[in-house]
């Protein structure tokens, strides 16, 4: 169950980007997913393997779409510093591989966003494997 927090209006703007991207992700709407990121964003689709560039990022999302993923968050934190924001959220993802096997993963999403000159927030770094180093202990 997702914990409910009260955010400032600017924190809510950041949350809107995260939740809209997640909704587009569930719908496999690649165009809307990509619109949530700066053109030179870095996304970690596998621990310790950052991706950048539109082709690599598009392929990474298409790979996730193949398992019909459903993300659920158990809470959110948003911290602001001028034109930068950090979003943290524990998540659980369920899905099904093309051959029918159920999958379930969990992690800690760590996202850095930047406020654009037009006032819109976009993701710059997206690492859904923020717990990876802790898992190595």
């Amino acid at each position: 169950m997702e914990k409910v927090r009260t955010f400032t209006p600017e924190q809510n703007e950041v949350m809107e980007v995260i939740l809209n991207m997640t909704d587009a992700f569930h719908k496999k709407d690649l165009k809307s997913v990509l619109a949530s990121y700066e053109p030179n964003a870095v996304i970690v689709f596998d621990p310790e393997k950052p991706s950048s560039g539109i082709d690599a990022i598009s392929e990474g999302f298409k790979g996730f779409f193949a398992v019909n993923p459903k993300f659920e968050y158990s809470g959110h934190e948003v911290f602001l510093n001028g034109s930068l924001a950090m979003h943290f959220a524990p998540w659980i993802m369920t899905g099904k591989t093309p051959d029918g096997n159920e999958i379930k993963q969990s992690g800690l999403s760590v996202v850095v966003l930047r406020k654009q000159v037009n006032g819109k927030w976009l993701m710059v770094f997206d690492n859904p494997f923020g717990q990876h180093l802790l898992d190595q202990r």
Side-chain angles (χ1 to χ4, degrees):
M1 177 98 196
E2 189 169 328
K3 297 176 184 174
V4 178
R5 288 197 52 176
T6 302
F7 290 118
T8 67
E10 199 162 33
Q11 287 172 312
N12 280 329
E13 291 173 11
V14 170
M15 283 299 306
E16 188 174 326
V17 173
I18 300 295
L19 297 177
N20 285 344
M21 182 278 194
T22 303
D23 184 55
F25 184 85
H26 288 154
K27 294 176 181 174
K28 300 180 185 179
D29 179 354
L30 184 60
K31 182 178 177 182
S32 295
V33 168
L34 295 175
S36 302
Y37 293 89
E38 284 191 357
N40 296 318
V42 174
I43 303 173
V44 179
F45 291 105
D46 289 305
E48 299 181 3
K49 296 178 183 173
S51 295
S52 61
I54 190 71
D55 292 337
I57 289 172
S58 294
E59 287 306 309
F61 280 116
K62 288 176 185 176
F64 269 107
F65 293 165
V67 298
N68 297 304
K70 174 70 176 161
F71 277 90
E72 293 182 23
Y73 300 105
S74 61
H76 299 272
E77 287 189 327
V78 176
F79 299 101
L80 301 169
N81 185 359
S83 63
L84 295 175
M86 287 197 72
H87 171 265
F88 299 91
W91 56 267
I92 294 175
M93 189 227 16
T94 55
K96 193 176 280 192
T97 62
D99 60 2
N101 291 320
E102 299 280 336
I103 59 170
K104 186 173 183 177
Q105 296 178 337
S106 63
L108 176 67
S109 173
V110 178
V111 178
V112 176
L113 301 94
R114 183 177 8 240
K115 192 171 194 174
Q116 309 298 298
V117 293
N118 66 2
K120 183 178 178 180
W121 289 92
L122 293 177
M123 290 184 260
V124 181
F125 294 101
D126 182 358
N127 182 2
F129 303 102
Q131 86 295 343
H132 174 71
L133 290 175
L134 293 173
D135 291 346
Q136 301 304 304
R137 297 190 296 164

